[in-house]
């Protein structure tokens, strides 16, 4: 089977080697080398090449090397072309670590202590037990569920919000627009792990921040276009929010003049919350390719109607 890879070349070279060893029937072509374009059945990419389906007329599926597939213009792809995102344990574990770091950092007042340190100010604030800190995770998919398992094990008072009803051990679950207000009202730390869709674009805005308890904090590890930057700055400066840990922005990178770089209540990281891990991901890729060969649905299939 002939596969096209177009993303980080170093990862591509590793995957090519690994597949040659573990699945010699599968040949990975590293863009811009494509072999015979007519023979390419699967493309695994971050950004697809232009004229994808014209160049590779026998393409049977488009796979994302990342957890999201929002970088694809789904409307421009043939409606029956399966689009698949990456689900692999290394990527999930990375997000668990990032969310845990951010929630613990906020819970233990680290943004405030960092500001105090810069001002040479030795001042203790009372330490709250995790059980009294209400954490709300938006998005109860692969990443949200894994992050919540860790947060529950640390003793936080956890809730989650999804589009359709979910049940998770130790987590108060909310769903849909009708239950969003109740979910937000009990979220001292709000974590966004939503995919970018028409419904979630711009969702983290002034109206939403106003529904959080005063002094709440935000952890944004979804996608940059979900957050209204000006509304976040206003909520921080007005005291409605106390802190924000931001991993994703719009655009990426932010221009040097953007206030996020220097705002004392913002911790900004350059879209590193989680990354596809070469070794675990290539094993997950191979498993999905075998599923395809057996005629089974691949893991991580995007539902084109709902957009994620
Ligand atoms: P997933 O498994 O598809 O889960 C998505 C979750 O979001 C589901 O629970 C879904 O609800 C919920 N959802 C979607 N639209 C919603 C809406 N309009 N209202 C309420 N809930 C909604 O996705 P995942 O693998 O957990 O990944 C989530 C996102 O994390 C990715 O799409 C990507 O944007 C982001 N991400 C960021 C990084 C980073 O480094 N910062 C790394 C990886 C991923 P249902 O349960 O009802 O379907
Ligand atoms: C990173 O953001 C990913 O989608 O994997």
């Amino acid at each position: 089977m002939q596969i096209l890879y177009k993303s980080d070349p170093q990862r591509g070279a590793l995957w090519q080697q690994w597949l040659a060893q573990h699945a010699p029937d599968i040949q990975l072509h590293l863009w811009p080398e494509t072999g015979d374009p007519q023979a390419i059945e699967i493309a695994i990419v971050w950004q697809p090449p232009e004229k994808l389906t014209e160049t590779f007329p026998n393409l049977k599926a488009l796979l994302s090397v990342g957890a999201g597939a929002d970088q694809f213009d789904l409307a421009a792809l043939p409606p029956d072309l399966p689009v698949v995102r990456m689900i692999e344990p290394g990527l999930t574990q990375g997000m668990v670590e990032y969310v845990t770091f951010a929630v613990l950092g906020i819970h233990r007042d680290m943004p405030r202590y960092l500001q105090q340190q810069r001002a040479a100010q030795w001042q203790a604030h009372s330490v709250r037990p995790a059980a009294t800190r209400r954490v709300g995770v938006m998005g109860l998919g692969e990443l949200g569920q894994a992050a919540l398992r860790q947060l529950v094990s640390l003793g936080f008072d956890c809730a989650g919000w999804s589009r359709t009803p979910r049940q998770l051990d130790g987590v108060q679950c909310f769903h849909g627009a009708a239950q969003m207000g109740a979910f937000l009202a009990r979220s001292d730390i709000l974590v966004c792990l939503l995919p970018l869709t028409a419904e979630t674009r711009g969702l983290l805005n002034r109206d939403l921040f106003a529904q959080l308890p005063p002094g709440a904090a935000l952890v944004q590890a979804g996608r940059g276009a979900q957050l209204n930057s000006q509304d976040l700055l206003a909520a921080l400066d007005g005291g409605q929010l106390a802190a924000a840990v931001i991993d994703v922005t719009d655009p990426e990178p932010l221009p040097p003049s953007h206030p996020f770089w220097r705002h004392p209540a913002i911790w900004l990281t350059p879209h590193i919350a989680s990354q596809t891990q070469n070794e675990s991901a290539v094993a997950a890729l191979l498993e999905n390719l075998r599923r395809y060969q057996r005629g089974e649905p691949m893991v991580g299939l995007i539902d084109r109607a709902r957009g994620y």
Side-chain angles (χ1 to χ4, degrees):
M1 183 165 54
Q2 310 282 310
I3 315 275
L4 174 72
Y5 170 92
K6 180 175 173 285
S7 185
D8 171 48
Q10 227 177 339
R11 178 196 290 138
L14 277 168
W15 283 9
Q16 194 179 49
Q17 246 179 8
W18 191 92
L19 286 169
Q21 205 179 340
H22 294 86
D25 58 308
I26 295 175
Q27 202 181 345
L28 194 71
H29 296 275
L30 306 185
W31 178 267
E33 188 279 312
T34 66
D36 174 6
Q38 303 268 348
I40 297 290
E41 275 181 70
I42 308 272
I44 177 150
V45 306
W46 180 245
Q47 291 292 351
E50 274 172 31
K51 301 196 172 134
L52 177 75
T53 47
E54 290 94 321
T55 313
F56 306 102
N58 296 313
L59 194 71
K60 299 294 189 297
L62 175 63
L63 277 53
S64 170
V65 294
D70 54 280
Q71 74 277 23
F72 299 152
D73 179 2
L74 293 177
L77 294 169
D80 54 347
L81 182 73
V83 178
V84 179
R85 67 203 180 82
M86 178 62 76
I87 298 182
E88 63 94 2
L91 187 59
T92 303
Q93 179 58 22
M95 188 56 84
V96 170
E97 289 171 7
Y98 187 88
V99 170
T100 306
F101 140 79
V103 169
L104 282 174
I106 291 165
H107 170 60
R108 295 308 306 265
D109 269 341
M110 286 302 154
R112 176 145 63 154
Y113 286 123
L114 202 61
Q115 289 177 45
Q116 287 187 197
Q117 181 187 343
R118 289 191 180 124
Q121 189 183 2
W122 185 279
Q123 189 189 347
H125 305 281
S126 56
V127 175
R128 271 171 67 171
T132 69
R133 189 79 71 179
R134 298 166 299 174
V135 181
V137 176
M138 306 179 89
L140 299 178
E142 173 68 20
L143 303 180
Q145 289 191 28
L148 274 162
R149 278 192 291 276
Q150 182 66 62
L151 295 171
V152 167
S153 80
L154 288 168
F156 288 103
D157 181 356
C158 291
W161 182 71
S162 51
R163 201 175 52 86
T164 57
R166 296 268 173 177
Q167 279 193 327
L168 305 177
D169 281 350
V171 178
Q172 194 183 351
C173 290
F174 298 84
H175 68 275
Q179 295 183 6
M180 194 186 185
F183 163 76
L184 294 172
R186 52 89 63 226
S187 294
D188 298 321
I189 302 176
L190 182 71
V191 179
C192 177
L193 284 175
L194 290 168
L196 181 62
T197 65
E199 284 179 27
T200 67
R201 186 176 290 274
L203 187 66
L204 302 176
N205 60 23
R206 185 188 357 189
D207 292 346
L208 181 144
F209 299 144
Q211 296 176 64
L212 293 168
L218 173 70
V219 178
Q220 164 57 328
R223 284 288 184 260
Q226 290 159 346
L227 174 66
N228 182 315
S229 297
Q230 291 312 317
D231 287 1
L232 174 65
L233 291 166
L236 288 168
D237 294 342
Q240 173 59 14
L241 291 187
V245 179
I246 307 292
D247 183 58
V248 286
T249 60
D250 183 25
E252 289 181 3
L254 288 174
S257 60
H258 198 281
F260 279 11
W261 289 111
R262 282 160 208 93
H263 197 288
I266 293 180
W267 281 4
L268 183 65
T269 52
H271 200 143
I272 48 72
S274 183
Q275 291 170 349
T276 297
Q277 295 299 313
N278 293 339
E279 289 76 16
S280 44
V282 72
L285 169 66
L286 178 57
E287 175 53 28
N288 246 355
L289 296 175
R290 294 302 185 214
R291 281 173 168 269
Y292 162 77
Q293 286 176 319
R294 293 194 295 264
E296 297 168 11
M298 285 190 260
V299 175
L301 195 61
I302 299 288
D303 179 332
R304 301 283 285 273
R306 51 175 212 190
Y308 68 96

